[in-house]
Amino acid sequence: MANEDGAVASVSEATDVVLFDTPVFSEDVARIASARLPWEQYRNAKILVTGASGMIPMYIVGSLLAANDAYDLGLHVTGMVRNQDKAVKRFGSALERSDFTLLAGDVIDTKTFERKFSTIFHGASPARPSLHKSSPVTTLKANTLGTINLLDALVDAGGKSFVLLSSSEVYGAVKGSGLISEDDEGTLQHFAPRASYSEGKRIAETALAAYADEFGIRGLSLRFGHIYGPGMALDDGRVQADFLADVVRGRNVRMMSAGAATRTYTYVADAVEGLFFAHLRSDEQVYNVADPAGNISIRELAETFAGARPEMKLELDFANPEDGRAFSPVASLGLDSRRLKKLGWDAKTSLSEGVSRTIRSFEDGPLVRR
């Protein structure tokens, strides 16, 4: 809860919230489930979501359960996680539902599942840049061996559909200017530890295409841009999480540079709704997921966070004061989402609204203690 100064009380003792039990999360997944989509395709489905305690996978789980409530689909969702203690805190009351099971396990390990899954949403992948640097082997294995292990499990079970949560990083460095389409190709410095993530995602997409061709499963790869929203951990390490941590702790937003680089930021509920549009309305294999209106500079993002709670009177603090005096955004290559928009999807959440909702999830939600 927020204290009299507008900051979240005792947030220094926490890096997360019980996301499933926040009003913002409930509102978001109910909105996704209300989308005019053929949810009937999930009737009696047995669905596995890996990396289930992560931000995007949690929204996938929540949306499926909300659709089950709305349409009585008889589906069952299993959320697979490596850290069960953390996940128990994150999922809260979801653990009381008969249509949800939390399963501890690592996708790197070959595993025989008791339940046979018809659809797998694969989101288990170290996403924080700090993990790519400190644990490149684990990052590589999760994206390569983990994907192949899950594809084998789906084929053995007679399952039909595999959805890979991929990344815009598979494009590497694309020459030219303008938006990047699904058919564009760039170069990657593959002989580098940091490539464990980007090359790992590329191999995962290749594995998915190979299994789809040989075994006839439906493979879908969603290339997400920069996603933000409820479910981000305050110690995530990426700039959007750093800015969030500053606001909920009631301090000025810290800038380590002028913030000229631009990125495409998309609110998590919009991104996950786009995922379901792709999965339920199309037979294409690859989609970009990004809100074109969210293509802004890091500085503009920081200003949005600082201004989200005017009563707190937060400002930008620059590590180098000179960075605050002169600023000009640099050109950036964002993702072209026209293929997804042709299915009827459109991002509904403005940046200011999305940032406010993200902060609100910490103001309204119970905190996860360390």
Side-chain angles (χ1 to χ4, degrees), residues 193-258:
R194 175 66 177 79
S196 61
Y197 181 78
S198 49
E199 288 286 6
K201 288 294 188 183
R202 280 187 169 186
I203 296 171
E205 290 196 10
T206 300
L208 183 55
Y211 275 75
D213 183 65
E214 184 165 341
F215 297 106
I217 65 171
R218 191 267 174 108
L220 175 64
S221 178
L222 282 303
R223 295 171 180 167
F224 292 95
H226 291 261
I227 311 301
Y228 74 96
M232 288 194 303
L234 298 183
D235 59 356
D236 177 277
R238 286 170 284 193
V239 292
Q240 55 265 42
D242 290 342
F243 298 159
L244 172 64
D246 288 336
V247 175
V248 299
R249 287 170 176 154
R251 64 194 183 200
N252 285 339
V253 175
R254 182 73 166 167
M255 294 287 294
M256 303 308 295
S257 71

Short mmCIF file of all heavy atoms in Angstrom, two decimals, residues 193-258:
data_model
loop_
_atom_site.label_atom_id
_atom_site.label_comp_id
_atom_site.label_asym_id
_atom_site.label_seq_id
_atom_site.Cartn_x
_atom_site.Cartn_y
_atom_site.Cartn_z
N PRO A 193 29.86 -14.31 -25.42
CA PRO A 193 28.98 -14.88 -24.39
C PRO A 193 27.57 -14.29 -24.42
O PRO A 193 26.59 -15.00 -24.20
CB PRO A 193 29.70 -14.52 -23.08
CG PRO A 193 31.12 -14.34 -23.47
CD PRO A 193 31.11 -13.77 -24.86
N ARG A 194 27.45 -12.99 -24.72
CA ARG A 194 26.14 -12.34 -24.73
C ARG A 194 25.22 -12.92 -25.80
O ARG A 194 24.01 -12.84 -25.70
CB ARG A 194 26.35 -10.84 -24.95
CG ARG A 194 25.08 -10.02 -25.12
CD ARG A 194 24.25 -10.01 -23.83
NE ARG A 194 23.08 -9.18 -23.97
CZ ARG A 194 21.96 -9.53 -24.58
NH1 ARG A 194 21.87 -10.74 -25.12
NH2 ARG A 194 20.93 -8.73 -24.65
N ALA A 195 25.83 -13.54 -26.83
CA ALA A 195 25.04 -14.14 -27.91
C ALA A 195 24.28 -15.38 -27.45
O ALA A 195 23.47 -15.92 -28.20
CB ALA A 195 25.94 -14.48 -29.09
N SER A 196 24.53 -15.84 -26.24
CA SER A 196 23.84 -17.03 -25.74
C SER A 196 22.33 -16.83 -25.76
O SER A 196 21.57 -17.79 -25.95
CB SER A 196 24.30 -17.36 -24.32
OG SER A 196 24.00 -16.29 -23.43
N TYR A 197 21.89 -15.60 -25.58
CA TYR A 197 20.44 -15.33 -25.59
C TYR A 197 19.93 -15.20 -27.02
O TYR A 197 19.01 -15.91 -27.43
CB TYR A 197 20.14 -14.06 -24.80
CG TYR A 197 18.66 -13.73 -24.76
CD1 TYR A 197 17.81 -14.41 -23.89
CD2 TYR A 197 18.11 -12.74 -25.58
CE1 TYR A 197 16.45 -14.13 -23.85
CE2 TYR A 197 16.76 -12.45 -25.53
CZ TYR A 197 15.94 -13.15 -24.67
OH TYR A 197 14.58 -12.87 -24.64
N SER A 198 20.51 -14.29 -27.79
CA SER A 198 20.01 -14.02 -29.14
C SER A 198 20.18 -15.23 -30.07
O SER A 198 19.23 -15.61 -30.79
CB SER A 198 20.70 -12.79 -29.74
OG SER A 198 22.10 -12.88 -29.59
N GLU A 199 21.35 -15.86 -30.05
CA GLU A 199 21.55 -17.05 -30.87
C GLU A 199 20.73 -18.22 -30.34
O GLU A 199 20.25 -19.06 -31.11
CB GLU A 199 23.03 -17.44 -30.92
CG GLU A 199 23.89 -16.50 -31.75
CD GLU A 199 23.70 -16.68 -33.24
OE1 GLU A 199 22.81 -17.44 -33.66
OE2 GLU A 199 24.43 -16.03 -34.01
N GLY A 200 20.56 -18.28 -29.01
CA GLY A 200 19.72 -19.33 -28.44
C GLY A 200 18.28 -19.23 -28.92
O GLY A 200 17.64 -20.23 -29.24
N LYS A 201 17.77 -18.00 -29.01
CA LYS A 201 16.41 -17.80 -29.52
C LYS A 201 16.33 -18.16 -31.00
O LYS A 201 15.32 -18.71 -31.46
CB LYS A 201 15.98 -16.35 -29.31
CG LYS A 201 15.68 -15.97 -27.87
CD LYS A 201 14.47 -16.70 -27.32
CE LYS A 201 14.07 -16.17 -25.96
NZ LYS A 201 12.92 -16.93 -25.36
N ARG A 202 17.38 -17.86 -31.75
CA ARG A 202 17.39 -18.24 -33.16
C ARG A 202 17.34 -19.76 -33.32
O ARG A 202 16.59 -20.29 -34.14
CB ARG A 202 18.65 -17.70 -33.84
CG ARG A 202 18.59 -16.23 -34.23
CD ARG A 202 19.80 -15.83 -35.05
NE ARG A 202 19.65 -14.52 -35.65
CZ ARG A 202 20.50 -13.97 -36.50
NH1 ARG A 202 21.60 -14.64 -36.83
NH2 ARG A 202 20.29 -12.77 -37.01
N ILE A 203 18.15 -20.47 -32.53
CA ILE A 203 18.15 -21.93 -32.60
C ILE A 203 16.78 -22.48 -32.18
O ILE A 203 16.28 -23.45 -32.77
CB ILE A 203 19.27 -22.52 -31.73
CG1 ILE A 203 20.63 -22.10 -32.28
CG2 ILE A 203 19.17 -24.05 -31.66
CD1 ILE A 203 21.80 -22.45 -31.38
N ALA A 204 16.18 -21.86 -31.17
CA ALA A 204 14.85 -22.30 -30.73
C ALA A 204 13.85 -22.18 -31.87
O ALA A 204 13.00 -23.06 -32.08
CB ALA A 204 14.41 -21.48 -29.52
N GLU A 205 13.91 -21.07 -32.61
CA GLU A 205 12.99 -20.90 -33.73
C GLU A 205 13.26 -21.93 -34.82
O GLU A 205 12.32 -22.45 -35.45
CB GLU A 205 13.10 -19.48 -34.29
CG GLU A 205 12.55 -18.41 -33.37
CD GLU A 205 12.31 -17.09 -34.10
OE1 GLU A 205 12.40 -17.07 -35.35
OE2 GLU A 205 12.03 -16.07 -33.43
N THR A 206 14.55 -22.24 -35.06
CA THR A 206 14.89 -23.26 -36.06
C THR A 206 14.38 -24.63 -35.63
O THR A 206 13.83 -25.39 -36.45
CB THR A 206 16.42 -23.32 -36.25
OG1 THR A 206 16.90 -22.04 -36.70
CG2 THR A 206 16.80 -24.38 -37.27
N ALA A 207 14.54 -24.95 -34.35
CA ALA A 207 14.03 -26.23 -33.84
C ALA A 207 12.52 -26.30 -34.01
O ALA A 207 11.98 -27.35 -34.41
CB ALA A 207 14.41 -26.39 -32.36
N LEU A 208 11.83 -25.21 -33.72
CA LEU A 208 10.38 -25.19 -33.85
C LEU A 208 9.96 -25.43 -35.30
O LEU A 208 9.03 -26.21 -35.58
CB LEU A 208 9.84 -23.85 -33.34
CG LEU A 208 8.32 -23.66 -33.34
CD1 LEU A 208 7.63 -24.77 -32.56
CD2 LEU A 208 7.96 -22.29 -32.77
N ALA A 209 10.64 -24.78 -36.24
CA ALA A 209 10.33 -24.96 -37.65
C ALA A 209 10.60 -26.41 -38.09
O ALA A 209 9.83 -26.99 -38.86
CB ALA A 209 11.15 -23.99 -38.50
N ALA A 210 11.69 -26.99 -37.59
CA ALA A 210 12.04 -28.36 -37.96
C ALA A 210 11.00 -29.36 -37.46
O ALA A 210 10.57 -30.26 -38.19
CB ALA A 210 13.42 -28.71 -37.41
N TYR A 211 10.58 -29.21 -36.20
CA TYR A 211 9.59 -30.13 -35.64
C TYR A 211 8.23 -29.94 -36.32
O TYR A 211 7.50 -30.92 -36.54
CB TYR A 211 9.46 -29.91 -34.14
CG TYR A 211 10.47 -30.69 -33.32
CD1 TYR A 211 11.80 -30.29 -33.26
CD2 TYR A 211 10.10 -31.83 -32.61
CE1 TYR A 211 12.74 -30.99 -32.52
CE2 TYR A 211 11.02 -32.54 -31.86
CZ TYR A 211 12.35 -32.12 -31.82
OH TYR A 211 13.26 -32.82 -31.09
N ALA A 212 7.88 -28.71 -36.65
CA ALA A 212 6.62 -28.47 -37.35
C ALA A 212 6.62 -29.17 -38.70
O ALA A 212 5.62 -29.77 -39.12
CB ALA A 212 6.39 -26.97 -37.51
N ASP A 213 7.75 -29.11 -39.40
CA ASP A 213 7.85 -29.71 -40.72
C ASP A 213 7.83 -31.23 -40.65
O ASP A 213 7.16 -31.90 -41.44
CB ASP A 213 9.13 -29.23 -41.41
CG ASP A 213 9.27 -29.77 -42.83
OD1 ASP A 213 8.43 -29.40 -43.68
OD2 ASP A 213 10.20 -30.55 -43.07
N GLU A 214 8.58 -31.80 -39.69
CA GLU A 214 8.71 -33.26 -39.64
C GLU A 214 7.54 -33.95 -38.96
O GLU A 214 7.14 -35.05 -39.37
CB GLU A 214 10.02 -33.63 -38.94
CG GLU A 214 10.30 -35.13 -38.94
CD GLU A 214 11.73 -35.46 -38.57
OE1 GLU A 214 12.60 -34.56 -38.66
OE2 GLU A 214 11.98 -36.62 -38.18
N PHE A 215 6.98 -33.31 -37.93
CA PHE A 215 5.95 -33.99 -37.14
C PHE A 215 4.56 -33.38 -37.29
O PHE A 215 3.59 -33.87 -36.70
CB PHE A 215 6.35 -33.99 -35.66
CG PHE A 215 7.62 -34.75 -35.39
CD1 PHE A 215 8.81 -34.08 -35.11
CD2 PHE A 215 7.64 -36.14 -35.43
CE1 PHE A 215 9.98 -34.77 -34.86
CE2 PHE A 215 8.81 -36.84 -35.18
CZ PHE A 215 9.99 -36.16 -34.90
N GLY A 216 4.44 -32.30 -38.05
CA GLY A 216 3.12 -31.77 -38.36
C GLY A 216 2.47 -30.98 -37.24
O GLY A 216 1.26 -30.74 -37.28
N ILE A 217 3.25 -30.58 -36.22
CA ILE A 217 2.66 -29.75 -35.17
C ILE A 217 2.56 -28.31 -35.67
O ILE A 217 3.20 -27.92 -36.65
CB ILE A 217 3.50 -29.78 -33.87
CG1 ILE A 217 4.89 -29.15 -34.11
CG2 ILE A 217 3.61 -31.19 -33.33
CD1 ILE A 217 5.69 -28.96 -32.85
N ARG A 218 1.73 -27.53 -35.02
CA ARG A 218 1.60 -26.12 -35.38
C ARG A 218 2.61 -25.34 -34.54
O ARG A 218 2.55 -25.32 -33.31
CB ARG A 218 0.17 -25.63 -35.10
CG ARG A 218 -0.15 -24.23 -35.69
CD ARG A 218 0.12 -23.12 -34.69
NE ARG A 218 -0.03 -21.79 -35.28
CZ ARG A 218 -1.04 -21.00 -35.02
NH1 ARG A 218 -1.99 -21.38 -34.21
NH2 ARG A 218 -1.08 -19.78 -35.56
N GLY A 219 3.59 -24.71 -35.18
CA GLY A 219 4.60 -23.93 -34.48
C GLY A 219 4.38 -22.45 -34.66
O GLY A 219 4.15 -21.99 -35.79
N LEU A 220 4.44 -21.70 -33.59
CA LEU A 220 4.23 -20.26 -33.64
C LEU A 220 5.31 -19.57 -32.82
O LEU A 220 5.52 -19.90 -31.65
CB LEU A 220 2.84 -19.91 -33.07
CG LEU A 220 2.50 -18.41 -32.95
CD1 LEU A 220 2.46 -17.74 -34.31
CD2 LEU A 220 1.17 -18.24 -32.23
N SER A 221 5.99 -18.62 -33.44
CA SER A 221 7.03 -17.86 -32.76
C SER A 221 6.59 -16.41 -32.65
O SER A 221 6.30 -15.77 -33.66
CB SER A 221 8.36 -17.96 -33.52
OG SER A 221 9.35 -17.20 -32.88
N LEU A 222 6.56 -15.89 -31.42
CA LEU A 222 6.20 -14.50 -31.16
C LEU A 222 7.46 -13.73 -30.80
O LEU A 222 8.10 -14.02 -29.79
CB LEU A 222 5.18 -14.39 -30.02
CG LEU A 222 3.71 -14.71 -30.30
CD1 LEU A 222 3.16 -13.85 -31.42
CD2 LEU A 222 3.52 -16.18 -30.61
N ARG A 223 7.83 -12.77 -31.64
CA ARG A 223 9.03 -11.97 -31.39
C ARG A 223 8.61 -10.68 -30.68
O ARG A 223 8.11 -9.73 -31.30
CB ARG A 223 9.74 -11.67 -32.71
CG ARG A 223 10.29 -12.94 -33.36
CD ARG A 223 10.79 -12.67 -34.77
NE ARG A 223 11.33 -13.90 -35.38
CZ ARG A 223 11.61 -14.03 -36.66
NH1 ARG A 223 11.42 -13.01 -37.49
NH2 ARG A 223 12.08 -15.17 -37.12
N PHE A 224 8.82 -10.66 -29.38
CA PHE A 224 8.41 -9.52 -28.56
C PHE A 224 9.46 -8.43 -28.58
O PHE A 224 10.67 -8.69 -28.58
CB PHE A 224 8.18 -9.96 -27.11
CG PHE A 224 6.99 -10.86 -26.93
CD1 PHE A 224 7.15 -12.25 -26.91
CD2 PHE A 224 5.72 -10.34 -26.77
CE1 PHE A 224 6.06 -13.07 -26.75
CE2 PHE A 224 4.62 -11.16 -26.60
CZ PHE A 224 4.79 -12.53 -26.59
N GLY A 225 9.00 -7.17 -28.58
CA GLY A 225 9.88 -6.04 -28.38
C GLY A 225 10.11 -5.86 -26.88
O GLY A 225 10.14 -6.83 -26.12
N HIS A 226 10.25 -4.64 -26.42
CA HIS A 226 10.48 -4.36 -25.00
C HIS A 226 9.12 -4.30 -24.30
O HIS A 226 8.32 -3.39 -24.54
CB HIS A 226 11.24 -3.05 -24.83
CG HIS A 226 12.66 -3.14 -25.31
ND1 HIS A 226 13.72 -3.34 -24.47
CD2 HIS A 226 13.18 -3.08 -26.56
CE1 HIS A 226 14.84 -3.40 -25.17
NE2 HIS A 226 14.54 -3.24 -26.44
N ILE A 227 8.88 -5.26 -23.43
CA ILE A 227 7.60 -5.38 -22.75
C ILE A 227 7.75 -4.90 -21.31
O ILE A 227 8.73 -5.22 -20.64
CB ILE A 227 7.09 -6.84 -22.75
CG1 ILE A 227 7.17 -7.42 -24.18
CG2 ILE A 227 5.68 -6.91 -22.21
CD1 ILE A 227 6.37 -6.69 -25.22
N TYR A 228 6.78 -4.13 -20.85
CA TYR A 228 6.79 -3.65 -19.47
C TYR A 228 5.40 -3.83 -18.88
O TYR A 228 4.42 -4.01 -19.60
CB TYR A 228 7.20 -2.16 -19.41
CG TYR A 228 6.10 -1.24 -19.88
CD1 TYR A 228 5.23 -0.63 -18.98
CD2 TYR A 228 5.89 -1.00 -21.24
CE1 TYR A 228 4.20 0.18 -19.41
CE2 TYR A 228 4.87 -0.18 -21.68
CZ TYR A 228 4.02 0.41 -20.76
OH TYR A 228 2.99 1.21 -21.19
N GLY A 229 5.32 -3.75 -17.55
CA GLY A 229 4.01 -3.82 -16.91
C GLY A 229 4.06 -4.51 -15.57
O GLY A 229 5.14 -4.85 -15.06
N PRO A 230 2.89 -4.73 -14.97
CA PRO A 230 2.82 -5.46 -13.70
C PRO A 230 3.50 -6.82 -13.84
O PRO A 230 3.33 -7.51 -14.85
CB PRO A 230 1.31 -5.61 -13.48
CG PRO A 230 0.71 -4.46 -14.22
CD PRO A 230 1.57 -4.29 -15.44
N GLY A 231 4.28 -7.18 -12.85
CA GLY A 231 5.02 -8.42 -12.91
C GLY A 231 6.51 -8.21 -13.07
O GLY A 231 7.29 -9.15 -12.88
N MET A 232 6.92 -6.99 -13.42
CA MET A 232 8.36 -6.70 -13.45
C MET A 232 8.90 -6.69 -12.03
O MET A 232 8.31 -6.09 -11.14
CB MET A 232 8.62 -5.32 -14.07
CG MET A 232 8.39 -5.22 -15.55
SD MET A 232 9.10 -3.69 -16.25
CE MET A 232 8.29 -2.42 -15.29
N ALA A 233 10.01 -7.36 -11.83
CA ALA A 233 10.67 -7.31 -10.53
C ALA A 233 11.48 -6.02 -10.44
O ALA A 233 12.10 -5.59 -11.42
CB ALA A 233 11.58 -8.52 -10.34
N LEU A 234 11.51 -5.42 -9.28
CA LEU A 234 12.22 -4.15 -9.11
C LEU A 234 13.72 -4.29 -9.30
O LEU A 234 14.40 -3.32 -9.63
CB LEU A 234 11.92 -3.56 -7.73
CG LEU A 234 10.46 -3.20 -7.45
CD1 LEU A 234 10.35 -2.56 -6.07
CD2 LEU A 234 9.90 -2.27 -8.51
N ASP A 235 14.26 -5.49 -9.12
CA ASP A 235 15.70 -5.70 -9.30
C ASP A 235 16.00 -6.38 -10.65
O ASP A 235 17.03 -7.00 -10.82
CB ASP A 235 16.26 -6.55 -8.16
CG ASP A 235 15.59 -7.92 -8.04
OD1 ASP A 235 14.63 -8.18 -8.79
OD2 ASP A 235 16.02 -8.72 -7.19
N ASP A 236 15.10 -6.23 -11.60
CA ASP A 236 15.26 -6.85 -12.92
C ASP A 236 16.53 -6.40 -13.62
O ASP A 236 17.20 -7.18 -14.28
CB ASP A 236 14.03 -6.52 -13.77
CG ASP A 236 14.12 -7.05 -15.18
OD1 ASP A 236 14.76 -6.38 -16.03
OD2 ASP A 236 13.57 -8.13 -15.46
N GLY A 237 16.88 -5.13 -13.50
CA GLY A 237 18.10 -4.64 -14.11
C GLY A 237 17.91 -3.86 -15.39
O GLY A 237 18.80 -3.11 -15.80
N ARG A 238 16.77 -4.01 -16.07
CA ARG A 238 16.52 -3.22 -17.27
C ARG A 238 15.96 -1.85 -16.89
O ARG A 238 15.41 -1.67 -15.80
CB ARG A 238 15.56 -3.98 -18.20
CG ARG A 238 16.24 -5.14 -18.91
CD ARG A 238 15.28 -6.05 -19.63
NE ARG A 238 14.57 -6.93 -18.70
CZ ARG A 238 13.85 -7.99 -19.09
NH1 ARG A 238 13.77 -8.27 -20.38
NH2 ARG A 238 13.24 -8.75 -18.21
N VAL A 239 16.08 -0.89 -17.81
CA VAL A 239 15.78 0.50 -17.43
C VAL A 239 14.35 0.68 -16.96
O VAL A 239 14.09 1.43 -16.00
CB VAL A 239 16.08 1.48 -18.58
CG1 VAL A 239 17.56 1.55 -18.85
CG2 VAL A 239 15.32 1.12 -19.85
N GLN A 240 13.39 0.00 -17.60
CA GLN A 240 12.00 0.19 -17.19
C GLN A 240 11.78 -0.28 -15.75
O GLN A 240 10.99 0.33 -15.01
CB GLN A 240 11.04 -0.52 -18.15
CG GLN A 240 11.29 -2.01 -18.36
CD GLN A 240 12.13 -2.28 -19.58
OE1 GLN A 240 13.10 -1.57 -19.83
NE2 GLN A 240 11.76 -3.31 -20.35
N ALA A 241 12.49 -1.33 -15.34
CA ALA A 241 12.38 -1.80 -13.96
C ALA A 241 13.10 -0.85 -12.99
O ALA A 241 12.63 -0.61 -11.87
CB ALA A 241 12.94 -3.21 -13.82
N ASP A 242 14.23 -0.31 -13.43
CA ASP A 242 14.95 0.66 -12.60
C ASP A 242 14.09 1.89 -12.35
O ASP A 242 14.02 2.41 -11.22
CB ASP A 242 16.25 1.08 -13.27
CG ASP A 242 17.29 -0.03 -13.31
OD1 ASP A 242 17.15 -0.99 -12.53
OD2 ASP A 242 18.24 0.08 -14.09
N PHE A 243 13.43 2.40 -13.40
CA PHE A 243 12.59 3.58 -13.25
C PHE A 243 11.39 3.28 -12.34
O PHE A 243 11.00 4.10 -11.51
CB PHE A 243 12.08 4.05 -14.62
CG PHE A 243 13.18 4.47 -15.56
CD1 PHE A 243 12.96 4.51 -16.93
CD2 PHE A 243 14.43 4.83 -15.09
CE1 PHE A 243 13.96 4.91 -17.81
CE2 PHE A 243 15.46 5.22 -15.96
CZ PHE A 243 15.21 5.26 -17.32
N LEU A 244 10.83 2.08 -12.49
CA LEU A 244 9.72 1.67 -11.63
C LEU A 244 10.15 1.63 -10.17
O LEU A 244 9.44 2.11 -9.28
CB LEU A 244 9.20 0.30 -12.07
CG LEU A 244 8.16 -0.37 -11.17
CD1 LEU A 244 6.88 0.45 -11.12
CD2 LEU A 244 7.88 -1.79 -11.65
N ALA A 245 11.33 1.06 -9.93
CA ALA A 245 11.83 0.97 -8.55
C ALA A 245 12.00 2.36 -7.95
O ALA A 245 11.68 2.58 -6.77
CB ALA A 245 13.15 0.22 -8.53
N ASP A 246 12.49 3.31 -8.74
CA ASP A 246 12.65 4.67 -8.23
C ASP A 246 11.31 5.26 -7.80
O ASP A 246 11.19 5.85 -6.72
CB ASP A 246 13.29 5.56 -9.30
CG ASP A 246 14.77 5.26 -9.52
OD1 ASP A 246 15.40 4.71 -8.60
OD2 ASP A 246 15.27 5.57 -10.62
N VAL A 247 10.31 5.09 -8.63
CA VAL A 247 9.00 5.70 -8.33
C VAL A 247 8.36 5.06 -7.10
O VAL A 247 7.90 5.77 -6.20
CB VAL A 247 8.06 5.60 -9.55
CG1 VAL A 247 6.67 6.12 -9.19
CG2 VAL A 247 8.63 6.39 -10.72
N VAL A 248 8.32 3.74 -7.04
CA VAL A 248 7.63 3.11 -5.92
C VAL A 248 8.39 3.30 -4.61
O VAL A 248 7.82 3.16 -3.52
CB VAL A 248 7.37 1.61 -6.17
CG1 VAL A 248 6.49 1.41 -7.39
CG2 VAL A 248 8.67 0.83 -6.29
N ARG A 249 9.66 3.65 -4.72
CA ARG A 249 10.44 3.95 -3.51
C ARG A 249 10.45 5.45 -3.21
O ARG A 249 11.12 5.90 -2.27
CB ARG A 249 11.86 3.41 -3.66
CG ARG A 249 11.90 1.89 -3.56
CD ARG A 249 13.24 1.31 -3.95
NE ARG A 249 13.24 -0.15 -3.73
CZ ARG A 249 14.01 -1.00 -4.38
NH1 ARG A 249 14.84 -0.57 -5.32
NH2 ARG A 249 13.95 -2.29 -4.11
N GLY A 250 9.74 6.23 -4.04
CA GLY A 250 9.56 7.65 -3.75
C GLY A 250 10.80 8.50 -3.94
O GLY A 250 10.98 9.50 -3.25
N ARG A 251 11.66 8.13 -4.91
CA ARG A 251 12.87 8.91 -5.12
C ARG A 251 12.93 9.36 -6.59
O ARG A 251 12.25 8.80 -7.46
CB ARG A 251 14.10 8.06 -4.79
CG ARG A 251 14.30 6.86 -5.69
CD ARG A 251 15.30 5.88 -5.12
NE ARG A 251 15.53 4.76 -6.03
CZ ARG A 251 16.05 3.60 -5.66
NH1 ARG A 251 16.37 3.40 -4.39
NH2 ARG A 251 16.24 2.64 -6.54
N ASN A 252 13.73 10.37 -6.86
CA ASN A 252 13.89 10.85 -8.22
C ASN A 252 14.38 9.74 -9.13
O ASN A 252 15.09 8.81 -8.71
CB ASN A 252 14.88 12.02 -8.27
CG ASN A 252 14.28 13.31 -7.73
OD1 ASN A 252 13.06 13.47 -7.66
ND2 ASN A 252 15.14 14.24 -7.35
N VAL A 253 13.98 9.83 -10.40
CA VAL A 253 14.34 8.79 -11.37
C VAL A 253 15.77 9.01 -11.83
O VAL A 253 16.12 10.07 -12.36
CB VAL A 253 13.37 8.82 -12.56
CG1 VAL A 253 13.82 7.83 -13.64
CG2 VAL A 253 11.96 8.50 -12.10
N ARG A 254 16.60 8.01 -11.65
CA ARG A 254 18.03 8.11 -11.90
C ARG A 254 18.32 7.79 -13.37
O ARG A 254 17.90 6.77 -13.90
CB ARG A 254 18.77 7.11 -11.01
CG ARG A 254 20.29 7.13 -11.13
CD ARG A 254 20.87 8.36 -10.47
NE ARG A 254 22.32 8.23 -10.28
CZ ARG A 254 23.11 9.24 -9.97
NH1 ARG A 254 22.60 10.45 -9.79
NH2 ARG A 254 24.40 9.05 -9.80
N MET A 255 19.08 8.67 -14.04
CA MET A 255 19.48 8.49 -15.42
C MET A 255 21.00 8.32 -15.48
O MET A 255 21.74 9.19 -15.02
CB MET A 255 19.06 9.68 -16.27
CG MET A 255 17.56 9.86 -16.40
SD MET A 255 16.84 8.62 -17.50
CE MET A 255 17.57 9.07 -19.07
N MET A 256 21.46 7.22 -16.05
CA MET A 256 22.89 6.98 -16.16
C MET A 256 23.48 7.54 -17.44
O MET A 256 24.69 7.53 -17.64
CB MET A 256 23.17 5.47 -16.08
CG MET A 256 22.64 4.81 -14.82
SD MET A 256 23.16 5.66 -13.30
CE MET A 256 24.93 5.39 -13.36
N SER A 257 22.61 8.02 -18.36
CA SER A 257 23.06 8.62 -19.61
C SER A 257 22.02 9.65 -20.02
O SER A 257 21.05 9.90 -19.29
CB SER A 257 23.21 7.56 -20.70
OG SER A 257 21.94 7.09 -21.10
N ALA A 258 22.19 10.23 -21.20
CA ALA A 258 21.20 11.18 -21.70
C ALA A 258 19.91 10.48 -22.11
O ALA A 258 18.88 11.13 -22.27
CB ALA A 258 21.78 11.96 -22.88
#
